[in-house]
Amino acid sequence: MGISVINKTFDEIIKIASEKTVNFVINNILREEKYMLRREKRRPWAMKTRRPFRGYIDKVEMTFEDKLKLAEEVAEKIELPLKKSKNGRPHFTI
């Protein structure tokens, strides 16, 4: 960090910072809306997967048991059979 001389008042600095912040937020919103117009495969990763659940999964602190129970309930609702796959490395047994 270097020493610099600032030729602006505190109010001018606050005004510039607030304008830059507003522009930053507006540009982010415009970019996200532009990405939402793309086909799902062409959207950025965060827009496809995390975005629909933002605000729900970010605020809730869940334990592993709660997450497992929720996953089992979802699997039952969409009627997917939970079975072991024969692919992959075999489990290590003693």
Side-chain angles (χ1 to χ4, degrees):
M1 187 157 148
I3 299 173
S4 62
V5 177
I6 300 174
N7 294 330
K8 301 197 181 294
T9 64
F10 182 74
D11 292 333
E12 292 173 333
I13 293 172
I14 295 297
K15 181 179 176 186
I16 292 169
S18 64
E19 287 174 357
K20 288 189 181 231
T21 304
V22 167
N23 288 337
F24 177 77
V25 170
I26 290 172
N27 287 333
N28 281 345
I29 292 169
L30 289 174
R31 185 174 57 245
E32 287 181 11
E33 288 179 354
K34 181 177 76 171
Y35 288 158
M36 292 305 289
L37 295 174
R38 294 180 181 180
R39 291 181 304 162
E40 187 173 355
K41 288 187 176 184
R42 295 285 184 185
R43 292 180 194 161
W45 181 81
M47 300 296 290
K48 296 187 273 194
T49 57
R50 189 164 175 245
R51 185 68 180 167
F53 305 107
R54 188 174 298 263
Y56 296 105
I57 61 173
D58 293 343
K59 295 178 183 176
V60 177
E61 294 293 327
M62 294 180 70
T63 63
F64 179 75
E65 289 82 16
D66 293 337
K67 291 177 185 178
L68 185 60
K69 184 178 175 184
L70 180 63
E72 289 173 349
E73 289 175 7
V74 169
E76 288 176 9
K77 293 231 186 226
I78 59 175
E79 299 175 357
L80 289 178
L82 296 176
K83 56 185 177 181
K84 289 187 177 182
S85 174
K86 294 182 177 154
N87 296 338
R89 183 182 292 178
H91 293 286
F92 180 73
T93 56
I94 296 176

